């Protein structure tokens, strides 16, 4: 694999961008629009049903040219080709990165270690489809002979956030007779709340875990099993009420789930890139195999766009480069993502993991320190709710906050004027963030002098607006792939491994030492720092006093 590894800051385009940033920093978006009145129509790109307006960014044609040059110098093209060819670009785990194979159409070939993986993907999809149909039609019966009405996905992180997000996003397309619930947190309240009104005889648990060792998921799965046993009192019930999604057949068998009821995936699918693998089983059950297929087609269309479109018209490349521009050159610390769609209310949470777990890294592929900052902090809430809350900081605070607005032309629930009001708000917010409100304008409106400084909105807050026709399974796939590849682009420029997560792995081990120190009857000998020791002792005392 040819991957250019020159330290980022030594690249010619990097240095040119640093000089250029000095000039742009002093230029207001108002000036950029005055000097270049056509930029609103020109700084835009369109593909696979998504229209991306990036004219309200603090960029000129020169900035975009330099960012594109940076992409070339950083070897983005080779990195994209390497990913699609199944090369082991996840170097620290020595794995290919092939979520794009999960949505490759039948007949395509992607070879890993001498084997075409696409037929294996479709074999699992076919088994998932058969199971989903059996469940949806009532042919799959619970242990007592009653059909399944409730589906509870137990998983966390990459085995939860995608399915939860997709469930909310695609409710409109889901079978209303099925109740879907999601349990992730090891806090017992999560499980208790999820099942409090469910009948065990009509409930199916999907235990979703790539490794099948994750503490939270295994604990919740055992609790689910006890809950079922308490009601049905027969070990054989497990086979009708539990299925597994995992890469670890041995652990699935040990748990007591028949591997005939296991849906597999592969080590080349990262957790946060897995909502379109078997981890999406709950999604397929909810929306049906055909619509799940449409979602995969949406993903694939964006994959093809990313793979083949010239960088200056390539949506994920442009979005990724803009994210790098703000993090590495203009000192922005966050990117706010605001979907003007209530169905996408969990999309920012999903993106947080995708972006920050992928690019929250501090060393290059070669293990050297990265110069400057890597991933922005991604966050957000659906509009218009955020407008009545933290948007204040964006309008009048001191920080630079680039934003992504996601807007739709048509609602899935067309009621009265709602959609026009929603859309008027998203356009108005992007406009106000860019152009603000000047002291002059306020004085003309008759605002008294003493109040003017308090009411000035500086503006110059950059944003992208992604405008789409209407939300659908296919559009959701396209949107997710857009961000996946934007994240890929950023990682390629920073020359980091976007596909490992050693920090998360560490977190999975940290609590293990403390668990016995909380649970053992005998007072444990503690050897932590004085703060942790005190907290452990206090917890034990307080819990004992209330027993
Ligand atoms: C994703 C991360 C992490 C992972 C969870 C669950 O990229 O690695 O969020 O998905 O820790 O892991 P399991 O699926 O193995 O239970």
């Amino acid at each position: 694999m040819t991957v250019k590894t020159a330290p980022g800051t030594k690249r010619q385009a990097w240095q040119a961008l640093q000089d250029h940033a000095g000039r742009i920093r002093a230029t207001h978006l108002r000036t950029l629009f005055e000097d270049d009145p056509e930029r609103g129509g020109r700084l835009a790109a369109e593909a696979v049903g998504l229209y991306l307006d990036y004219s309200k960014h603090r960029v000129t044609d020169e900035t975009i040219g330099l960012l594109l040059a940076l992409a070339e110098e950083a070897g983005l093209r080779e990195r994209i080709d390497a990913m699609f060819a199944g090369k082991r670009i996840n170097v620290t785990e020595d794995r290919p990165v092939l979520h794009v194979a999960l949505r490759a159409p039948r007949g395509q070939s992607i070879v890993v270690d001498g084997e075409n993986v696409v037929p294996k993907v479709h074999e699992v999809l076919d088994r998932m489809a058969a199971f989903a149909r059996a469940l949806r039609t009532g042919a799959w019966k619970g242990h007592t002979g009653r059909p399944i009405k409730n589906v509870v996905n137990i998983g966390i992180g990459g085995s939860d956030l995608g399915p939860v997000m997709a469930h909310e996003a695609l409710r409109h397309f889901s079978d209303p007779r099925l109740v879907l619930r999601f349990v992730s947190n090891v806090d017992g309240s999560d499980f208790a709340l999820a099942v409090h009104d469910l009948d065990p005889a009509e409930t199916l648990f999907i235990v979703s875990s790539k490794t099948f060792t994750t503490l939270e998921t295994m604990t919740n799965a055992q609790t689910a099993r006890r809950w079922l046993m308490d009601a049905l009192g027969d070990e054989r019930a497990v086979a009708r009420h539990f299925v597994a999604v995992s890469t670890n057949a041995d652990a699935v068998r040990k748990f007591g789930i028949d591997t005939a009821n296991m849906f597999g995936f592969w080590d080349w699918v990262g957790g946060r890139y897995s909502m379109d693998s078997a981890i999406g089983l709950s999604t397929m059950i909810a929306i049906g195999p055909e619509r799940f297929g449409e979602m995969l087609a949406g993903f694939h269309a964006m994959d093809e766009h990313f793979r083949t479109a010239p960088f200056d018209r390539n949506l994920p490349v442009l979005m990724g480069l803009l994210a790098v521009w703000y993090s590495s050159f203009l000192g922005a610390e966050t990117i706010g993502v605001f979907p003007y769609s209530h169905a996408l209310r969990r999309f920012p949470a999903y993106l947080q993991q995708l972006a920050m777990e992928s690019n929250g890294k501090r060393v290059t592929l070669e293990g050297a320190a990265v110069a400057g900052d890597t991933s922005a902090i991604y966050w957000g809430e659906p509009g218009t709710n955020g407008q009545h809350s933290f948007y204040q900081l964006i309008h009048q605070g001191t920080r630079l906050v680039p934003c992504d607005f996601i807007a739709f032309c048509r609602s899935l629930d067309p009621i009265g004027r709602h959609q026009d009001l929603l859309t008027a708000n998203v356009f108005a917010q992007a406009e106000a963030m860019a152009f603000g409100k000047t002291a002059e304008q306020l004085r003309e409106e008759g605002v008294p002098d003493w109040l003017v400084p308090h009411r000035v909105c500086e503006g110059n807050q950059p944003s992208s607006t992604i405008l789409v026709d209407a939300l659908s399974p296919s559009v959701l796939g396209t949107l997710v792939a857009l961000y996946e590849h934007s994240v890929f682009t950023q990682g390629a420029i920073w020359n980091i491994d976007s596909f490992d997560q050693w920090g998360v792995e560490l977190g999975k081990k940290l609590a293990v030492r403390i668990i016995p120190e909380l649970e053992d009857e005998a007072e444990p000998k503690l050897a932590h720092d004085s703060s942790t020791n005190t907290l452990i002792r206090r917890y034990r005392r307080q819990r004992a006093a209330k027993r």
Side-chain angles (χ1 to χ4, degrees):
M1 167 180 46
T2 33
V3 173
K4 297 200 177 100
T5 53
T9 47
K10 299 234 172 73
R11 291 187 187 117
Q12 237 181 350
W14 190 281
Q15 290 184 350
L17 276 161
Q18 264 174 339
D19 296 342
H20 179 73
R23 293 192 293 281
I24 290 282
R25 202 173 279 120
T27 312
H28 199 288
L29 273 165
R30 282 195 287 263
T31 313
L32 293 177
F33 271 82
E34 274 156 26
D35 292 353
D36 177 9
E38 302 306 320
R39 62 182 275 138
R42 194 182 70 255
L43 296 184
E46 190 169 6
V48 206
L50 307 188
Y51 176 80
L52 168 70
D53 172 358
Y54 60 95
S55 65
K56 293 195 189 80
H57 279 290
R58 290 162 74 165
V59 296
T60 59
D61 291 328
E62 188 188 352
T63 326
I64 298 296
L66 288 170
L67 287 167
L68 292 168
L70 181 64
E72 297 296 347
E73 277 186 51
L76 176 61
R77 169 56 55 210
E78 291 93 320
R79 287 284 276 271
I80 294 172
D81 292 345
M83 172 170 73
F84 279 87
K87 298 273 160 57
R88 296 179 176 267
I89 61 167
N90 177 355
V91 292
T92 72
E93 295 181 316
D94 191 25
R95 290 175 182 166
V97 173
L98 271 180
H99 41 278
V100 293
L102 297 170
R103 50 263 191 159
R106 264 179 233 277
Q108 198 176 315
S109 168
I110 300 177
V111 176
V112 176
D113 297 332
E115 190 189 2
N116 180 9
V117 297
V118 179
K120 297 206 293 192
V121 166
H122 282 276
E123 187 188 308
V124 174
L125 282 171
D126 290 345
R127 287 186 51 232
M128 287 165 64
F131 180 73
R133 282 199 189 98
L135 207 100
R136 285 163 65 89
T137 56
W140 177 279
K141 303 262 190 292
H143 181 65
T144 63
R146 305 217 318 253
I148 298 296
K149 287 192 188 150
N150 316 307
V151 177
V152 182
N153 186 75
I154 299 179
I156 195 164
S159 302
D160 168 72
L161 287 160
V164 171
M165 183 275 288
H167 169 62
E168 299 291 349
L170 301 178
R171 257 174 206 266
H172 188 86
F173 303 90
S174 300
D175 186 336
R177 290 165 305 181
L178 287 169
V179 172
L180 267 94
R181 298 271 164 84
F182 298 85
V183 178
S184 56
N185 203 324
V186 76
D187 181 343
S189 300
D190 199 6
F191 181 81
L193 257 176
V195 302
H196 80 281
D197 55 349
L198 304 186
D199 181 344
E202 298 175 338
T203 301
L204 176 92
F205 291 98
I206 305 174
V207 185
S208 295
S209 175
K210 184 174 168 181
T211 55
F212 230 73
T213 55
T214 305
L215 172 89
E216 293 90 332
T217 302
M218 290 303 107
T219 308
N220 280 319
Q222 295 292 358
T223 300
R225 196 194 167 126
R226 270 196 305 279
W227 179 80
L228 188 85
M229 283 305 125
D230 287 350
L232 303 184
D234 185 345
E235 276 291 324
R236 285 172 305 172
V238 172
R240 305 304 298 171
H241 292 267
F242 277 83
V243 297
V245 177
S246 187
T247 56
N248 186 349
D250 282 348
V252 168
R253 208 173 294 116
K254 272 190 201 126
F255 182 88
I257 297 176
D258 186 348
T259 44
N261 299 333
M262 169 179 157
F263 302 90
F265 58 115
W266 306 273
D267 69 356
W268 41 260
V269 182
R272 54 194 173 277
Y273 296 89
S274 67
M275 61 170 278
D276 47 341
S277 71
I279 291 289
L281 182 61
S282 63
T283 314
M284 191 193 268
I285 290 171
I287 65 175
E290 287 72 25
R291 283 176 173 148
F292 194 84
E294 290 167 17
M295 185 179 83
L296 295 183
F299 270 102
H300 180 67
M302 182 51 77
D303 294 344
E304 283 305 284
H305 168 71
F306 179 54
R307 193 175 65 80
T308 59
F311 287 170
D312 62 348
R313 274 176 280 140
N314 193 311
L315 269 58
V317 170
L318 289 167
M319 282 181 65
L321 290 174
L322 287 164
V324 169
W325 171 236
Y326 290 108
S327 274
S328 296
F329 298 98
L330 292 186
E333 291 182 329
T334 83
I335 293 181
V337 181
F338 310 128
Y340 276 63
S341 156
H342 204 63
L344 287 182
R345 61 191 172 280
R346 294 293 293 166
F347 194 64
Y350 172 77
L351 270 190
Q352 277 184 332
Q353 183 193 25
L354 180 67
M356 296 201 273
E357 202 175 1
S358 295
N359 288 337
K361 308 288 162 65
R362 57 192 307 124
V363 296
T364 64
L365 286 170
E366 296 75 32
V370 176
D373 283 328
T374 53
S375 179
I377 296 160
Y378 278 73
W379 60 285
E381 282 286 322
T384 58
N385 294 5
Q387 291 175 207
H388 300 264
S389 151
F390 52 77
Y391 276 35
Q392 165 63 30
L393 180 146
I394 308 176
H395 285 301
Q396 288 196 302
T398 53
R399 294 171 192 282
L400 172 61
V401 185
C403 306
D404 286 357
F405 293 105
I406 304 172
F408 294 89
C409 298
R410 284 186 303 121
S411 171
L412 298 178
D413 297 292
I415 306 172
R417 301 164 62 215
H418 283 251
Q419 190 63 15
D420 290 343
L421 301 184
L422 183 67
T423 310
N425 271 281
V426 65
F427 292 165
Q429 288 294 329
E431 188 177 28
M433 283 180 191
F435 304 110
K437 186 124 196 178
T438 63
E440 251 169 46
Q441 288 170 321
L442 288 161
R443 277 192 208 99
E444 269 169 31
E445 287 173 14
V447 174
D449 276 352
W450 69 270
L451 192 55
V452 166
H454 297 278
R455 295 203 31 191
V456 164
C457 290
E458 207 40 59
N460 215 14
Q461 291 286 23
S463 66
S464 294
T465 300
I466 299 167
L467 189 59
V468 195
D469 178 33
L471 187 58
S472 66
S474 141
V475 163
L476 183 69
T478 304
L479 261 181
V480 171
L482 170 71
Y483 277 94
E484 285 178 346
H485 298 321
S486 161
V487 164
F488 180 95
T489 300
Q490 296 168 48
I493 304 292
W494 289 315
N495 191 30
I496 57 182
D497 191 331
S498 301
F499 302 101
D500 61 10
Q501 56 282 313
W502 296 104
V504 172
E505 305 302 333
L506 171 69
K508 287 189 178 186
K509 297 191 182 102
L510 286 178
V512 171
R513 178 176 164 206
I514 298 185
I515 295 168
E517 294 172 345
L518 300 183
E519 290 187 333
D520 284 359
E521 278 299 313
E523 192 69 30
K525 270 209 170 101
L526 298 176
H528 302 275
D529 58 275
S530 58
S531 161
T532 310
N533 288 345
T534 308
L535 289 166
I536 291 174
R537 288 193 191 106
R538 195 178 169 92
Y539 175 82
R540 288 181 63 97
R541 258 200 328 272
Q542 214 154 312
R543 187 191 49 185
K546 293 276 158 70
R547 265 184 180 158

